[in-house]
C-alpha cells in the first residue's frame, strides 16, 4: 500500500539519482557546449568544433572535434550539476568515446579557488596511467552495461572508448572537471563521463547510493515512475517515450526536461533528460528495493496545463503498442523481441510487472476515448495487468466528478487521485474514504503533499505542520485500506540548488541528503504496515479529529501483533488509555516510536537533517491496557504483541 512516486523534477535523475557527474556529456543540449568552457593559455592554441551527424545517428547526433595546434595549454572544463560532489579517498572513473589522434589528456578535478583534487593522464587509444593511482579496470563509465555489443552510435567510424580512474584527494561539493590536451593533433570526442566508483550496489555507471538507501529504508510497496507531468510532456514531441530510454546509454536520445522553464520563478535552462536513468534502471531499482514497479505511460495526450495536444484517436496505435511492448519488455520471455533486450541488458529474469498507468493528470472526454482503447487492447492481451487511471489533477472538481463517474461505470481497475492542499484540508478530509464504494475501483492516492503555501510556489516548506497533517490524514487511508490500495507522497526528490517545485520528500545537494519530516511520516507507515485493519475507536467512533486525535490500527495476518498509529494535532499533551478488546492480554511491554516537534514551523535541513526524527522507547502494559502520554504535535506508533 505505501509506496513512492518518482518523477524527474528538481534534478531528481540527472544531477540526482543518476550518479553521472558530467552535465551535457554528449553535447546534445540545445546549446551544444552548455556546461562546458574552453581554456587556453594563448589565443588560437586550439579549437572546438561541434559536428552534427543527425542523418547518420539521430539518437546521438553531436560530437566535438578538438584540435590543438601549439605547446600552449588548451583544454575544456565541465561544471557538473551545480558543481560535482567528490569525496576524499574515493575513486572516480573518467571515460570518453574518441577517435583520431593519439593525443594525451590530463584529466583533473578542480575545486573552487583552483585547488587540485586529483588527476590522471590518459593517452587515447592506449593503456592509461594515473596519479593517486588505481589500476585501470574494464570500462566503468557511462558506456558500461551488459549488452556485449558496441552502441549503435559508435559501431562504425573507428570510435573507441578510453578510460582512466583516479582518487580524489579532498572532499568538495562544487568541483569541476578539467580536460587538458597535451601534444598537438586533432581528436573527436563524445560521451565524456565521470562516475564515482561507489554507487548503489557498486554498479558501474550506476545510481547515487545515499539516495537509493533513503528509498530502500522506506521499504516501499511500489515505485511509480517516471512521473508526473514528465510522462505527458509540454507537447507530444517532448513526451516520455520508454523505448528511447533503454539499450546502450550512448544510443538513448536526450530531450529537454519539461520542467526546465515551467516556472518563471525557478528557471532551470540546463535541465535535460539524458535517460542514463531509463526504464531498465527503474525496473531494476524497483527490484532492488523490493517494490512493485508501476510505470506510467503517455496515453496520446500532452500536459493539459501546457499545450494540451492530443494525438487523433485514429493514430493512437503506436502509443498502445508502446504499452504492450513495455509489458513484454518487463515480463516477456527472452525469446520475445523486447524480453530479449531486457536479457541483453543483463536481466533475463522477468520483472513481474502487474500494474501500468495510462496517462497522468488527464481529464475530459478526450481521456476517456483514449483510455478505453488502451484498456481494451491491454486487457485483451494481458488480462492480469491492472491499469491505473487518471481522475484529473484535483480531488473534488468537475473534472474529477466526470472522470470518477465515468471510469466507475467503465469498471476501471484503479483510480489515481491527486491532492496538493493546505494542511487543514488533510485534517478535514481524514474521513474521505469512509464512504467510498467498497465494490468499486481501487484508489491510488498517487500524488499528495500538504502545502504550507499556495501550490507550486517557492515558499512552500516541508515543515512539521504539513507532515503532521499528512500523518493524520494517512490514518484515514489506512483505515480504508480495502478501498485505498496504494498511496505515495509527491514529488520525491529535490536538489537544494536545482529545484523547481517544493515541498518534496527528500532533499539533497552534491554530497548530502536528508529526509524531511514528511519522509519520516511515510517511513513510519511503510515500515509499520499490517495485513488486517482493525477498528480504532473513541466512544464507539473511528478517530478522525475528535479531541484533535487521529488513529488507525492494523494487525499482522495471524493477529499476533497490533500496530496502532495515533496523531495528536493539539498543542497540549493528552493522556489516553488504549484498551485492546477481543484478546486474552498484551505482552508486558509495547514499543513506542514518536515523531514530534514542539513548533509546527520546524523543519529538517542539510545542516540539521535529524531535527525531527523518530525516537523509540518501551512502555509498560497492564492486562489489555496501554497508558499513553501523547505529546503535543506528535505522531506515535505503538507495536505490541497480542496474547490470544
Ligand atoms: O508532483 C509534481 C507535479 O504535480 C506532477 O508532475 C503532476 O502530476 C502534478 O501536477
Amino acid at each position: 500500500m505505501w509506496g513512492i512516486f518518482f518523477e524527474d523534477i528538481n534534478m531528481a535523475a540527472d544531477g540526482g539519482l543518476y550518479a553521472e557527474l558530467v552535465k551535457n556529456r554528449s553535447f546534445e543540449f540545445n546549446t551544444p557546449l552548455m556546461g562546458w568552457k574552453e581554456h587556453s593559455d594563448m589565443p588560437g592554441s586550439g579549437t572546438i568544433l561541434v559536428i552534427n551527424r543527425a542523418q547518420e545517428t539521430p539518437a546521438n547526433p553531436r560530437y566535438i572535434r578538438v584540435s590543438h595546434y601549439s605547446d600552449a595549454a588548451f583544454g575544456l572544463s565541465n561544471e557538473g550539476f551545480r558543481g560535482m560532489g567528490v569525496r576524499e579517498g574515493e575513486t572516480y572513473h573518467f571515460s570518453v568515446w574518441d577517435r583520431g589522434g593519439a593525443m594525451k589528456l590530463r584529466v583533473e578535478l578542480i575545486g573552487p579557488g583552483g585547488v587540485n583534487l586529483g588527476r590522471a593522464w590518459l593517452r587515447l587509444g592506449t593503456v592509461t596511467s594515473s596519479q593517486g593511482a588505481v589500476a585501470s579496470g574494464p570500462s566503468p563509465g557511462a558506456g558500461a552495461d551488459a549488452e556485449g555489443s558496441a552502441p549503435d552510435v559508435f559501431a562504425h567510424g573507428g570510435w573507441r572508448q578510453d578510460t582512466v580512474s583516479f582518487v580524489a584527494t579532498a572532499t568538495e561539493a562544487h568541483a569541476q572537471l578539467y580536460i587538458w590536451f597535451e601534444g598537438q593533433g586533432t581528436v573527436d570526442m563524445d560521451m565524456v563521463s565521470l562516475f564515482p566508483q561507489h554507487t548503489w550496489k557498486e554498479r558501474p555507471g550506476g545510481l547515487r547510493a545515499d539516495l537509493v538507501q533513503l528509498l530502500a529504508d522506506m521499504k516501499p510497496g511500489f515505485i511509480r515512475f517516471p512521473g508526473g507531468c514528465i510522462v505527458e510532456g509540454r507537447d507530444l514531441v517532448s513526451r516520455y517515450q520508454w523505448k528511447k530510454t533503454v539499450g546502450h546509454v550512448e544510443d538513448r536520445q536526450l530531450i529537454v526536461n519539461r520542467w526546465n522553464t515551467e516556472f518563471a520563478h525557478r528557471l532551470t535552462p540546463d535541465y535535460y533528460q539524458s535517460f542514463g536513468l531509463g526504464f531498465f534502471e527503474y525496473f531494476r531499482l524497483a527490484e532492488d528495493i523490493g517494490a512493485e514497479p508501476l510505470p506510467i505511460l503517455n496515453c496520446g495526450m500532452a500536459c493539459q496545463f501546457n499545450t494540451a495536444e492530443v494525438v487523433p484517436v485514429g493514430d493512437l496505435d503506436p502509443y498502445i503498442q508502446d504499452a504492450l511492448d513495455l509489458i513484454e519488455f518487463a515480463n516477456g520471455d527472452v525469446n520475445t523481441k523486447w524480453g530479449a533486450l531486457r536479457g541483453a541488458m543483463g536481466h533475463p529474469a522477468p520483472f513481474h510487472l502487474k500494474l501500468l498507468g495510462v496517462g497522468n493528470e488527464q481529464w475530459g472526454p478526450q481521456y476517456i476515448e483514449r483510455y478505453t482503447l488502451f484498456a481494451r487492447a491491454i486487457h485483451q492481451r494481458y488480462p492480469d495487468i491492472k491499469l491505473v487511471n487518471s481522475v484529473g489533477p484535483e480531488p473534488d472538481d468537475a473534472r474529477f466528478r466526470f472522470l470518477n463517474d465515468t471510469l466507475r461505470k467503465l469498471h476501471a481497475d484503479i483510480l489515481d487521485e491527486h491532492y496538493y492542499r493546505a494542511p487543514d484540508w488533510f485534517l478535514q478530509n481524514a474521513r474521505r474514504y469512509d464512504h467510498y464504494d467498497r465494490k468499486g475501483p481501487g484508489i491510488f492516492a498517487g500524488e499528495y503533499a500538504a502545502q504550507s503555501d499556495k501550490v507550486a510556489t517557492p515558499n512552500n516548506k516541508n515543515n512539521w505542520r504539513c507532515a503532521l497533517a499528512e500523518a493524520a490524514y494517512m490514518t484515514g487511508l489506512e483505515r480504508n485500506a480495502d478501498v485505498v490500495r496504494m498511496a505515495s507522497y509527491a514529488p520525491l526528490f529535490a536538489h537544494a540548488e536545482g529545484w523547481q517545485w517544493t515541498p518534496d520528500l527528500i532533499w539533497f545537494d552534491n554530497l548530502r541528503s536528508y529526509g524531511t519530516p514528511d519522509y519520516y511520516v511515510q517511513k513510519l507507515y511503510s515500515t509499520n504496515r499490517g495485513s488486517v485493519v482493525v477498528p480504532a475507536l473513541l466512544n464507539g467512533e473511528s478517530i478522525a479529529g475528535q479531541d484533535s486525535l487521529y488513529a488507525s490500527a492494523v494487525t499482522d495476518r495471524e493477529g499476533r501483533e497490533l500496530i496502532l498509529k495515533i496523531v495528536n494535532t493539539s498543542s497540549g499533551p493528552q493522556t489516553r488509555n488504549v484498551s485492546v478488546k477481543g484478546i486474552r492480554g498484551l505482552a508486558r511491554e509495547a514499543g513506542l516510536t514518536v515523531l514530534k516537534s514542539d513548533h509546527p514551523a520546524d523543519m529538517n535541513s542539510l545542516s540539521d537533517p535529524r531535527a525531527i526524527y523518530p525516537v523509540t522507547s518501551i512502555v509498560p502494559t497492564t492486562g489489555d491496557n496501554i497508558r499513553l502520554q501523547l505529546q503535543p504535535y506528535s505522531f506515535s506508533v505503538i507495536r505490541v504483541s497480542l496474547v490470544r
Side-chain angles (χ1 to χ4, degrees), residues 23-282:
K23 182 169 74 182
N24 193 13
R25 65 185 175 189
S26 192
F27 313 103
E28 304 302 341
F29 285 17
N30 290 354
T31 306
L33 289 178
M34 188 181 251
W36 293 93
K37 219 183 237 166
E38 209 178 294
H39 303 273
S40 70
D41 269 3
M42 194 180 79
S45 64
T47 55
I48 310 279
L49 186 65
V50 177
I51 300 179
N52 188 326
R53 60 189 185 297
Q55 301 265 354
E56 218 180 294
T57 56
N60 184 351
R62 294 201 191 111
Y63 62 91
I64 57 168
R65 176 160 295 164
V66 183
S67 301
H68 188 205
Y69 307 114
S70 74
D71 288 338
F74 181 68
L76 275 177
S77 65
N78 185 277
E79 66 190 24
F81 300 90
R82 309 296 178 272
M84 298 178 183
V86 295
R87 280 177 212 283
E88 181 179 351
E90 282 200 9
T91 300
Y92 292 84
H93 298 302
F94 172 84
S95 64
V96 58
W97 283 88
D98 60 275
R99 67 178 174 189
M103 212 183 264
K104 195 166 157 194
L105 307 187
R106 190 171 85 242
V107 179
E108 296 179 326
L109 279 167
I110 302 291
V115 48
N116 191 297
L117 305 169
R119 65 160 68 116
W121 282 267
L122 172 60
R123 186 168 288 286
L124 298 179
T126 64
V127 175
T128 58
S129 73
S130 62
Q131 175 185 304
V134 286
S136 339
S139 164
D145 56 42
E147 287 168 272
S149 58
D152 288 349
V153 58
F154 300 124
H156 308 286
W159 291 94
R160 67 207 164 200
Q161 193 184 32
D162 284 303
T163 70
V164 67
S165 305
F166 58 102
V167 175
T169 55
T171 298
E172 172 55 54
H174 296 101
Q176 301 214 353
L177 175 71
Y178 278 69
I179 304 165
W180 295 102
F181 300 91
E182 297 189 347
Q184 298 182 20
T186 294
V187 65
D188 291 342
M189 296 189 5
D190 201 356
M191 295 298 287
V192 183
S193 169
L194 187 71
F195 265 94
Q197 168 147 316
H198 176 49
T199 57
W200 171 250
K201 289 190 179 283
E202 310 305 330
R203 288 195 184 114
L207 305 184
R208 213 174 116 169
D210 61 326
L211 297 183
V212 181
Q213 192 61 56
L214 279 162
L215 303 185
D217 291 347
M218 292 174 77
K219 301 195 191 314
F222 65 89
I223 175 168
R224 164 179 165 177
F225 55 86
C229 294
I230 199 107
V231 173
E232 306 164 63
R234 293 174 72 108
D235 54 17
L236 284 169
V237 171
S238 60
R239 74 190 190 275
Y240 198 102
Q241 299 184 60
W242 76 266
K243 286 177 181 165
K244 296 187 176 183
T245 75
V246 292
H248 290 285
V249 291
E250 294 87 342
D251 294 329
R252 302 182 190 176
Q253 188 174 355
L254 174 141
I255 60 170
V256 75
N257 186 302
R258 56 139 303 132
W259 294 107
N260 73 352
T261 51
E262 180 77 13
F263 301 119
H265 56 269
R266 293 294 303 177
L267 291 178
T268 322
D270 58 342
Y271 198 4
Y272 285 75
Q273 300 181 81
S274 73
F275 297 117
L277 173 56
F279 260 45
F280 177 81
E281 289 78 18
Y282 285 123

Side-chain angles (χ1 to χ4, degrees), residues 335-387:
N335 296 315
T336 62
K337 177 178 171 194
W338 293 102
L341 176 60
R342 187 194 67 241
M345 292 186 75
H347 202 289
F351 282 121
H352 306 293
L353 176 69
K354 298 178 192 133
L355 301 160
L356 184 62
V358 177
N360 175 46
E361 277 180 350
Q362 323 304 158
W363 63 81
Q366 61 272 44
Y367 175 59
I368 296 295
E369 271 182 298
R370 285 160 186 77
Y371 151 76
T372 314
L373 296 174
F374 268 83
R376 189 180 306 147
I378 295 169
H379 283 147
Q380 205 168 43
R381 177 106 169 257
Y382 297 106
D384 293 337
I385 295 283
K386 294 262 179 279
L387 297 183

Side-chain angles (χ1 to χ4, degrees), residues 615-635:
V615 174
T616 297
S617 61
I618 299 288
V619 287
T621 68
T622 327
D624 65 1
N625 205 67
I626 315 172
R627 193 169 169 76
L628 290 174
Q629 313 285 343
L630 299 172
Q631 301 187 46
Y633 304 129
S634 65
F635 171 33

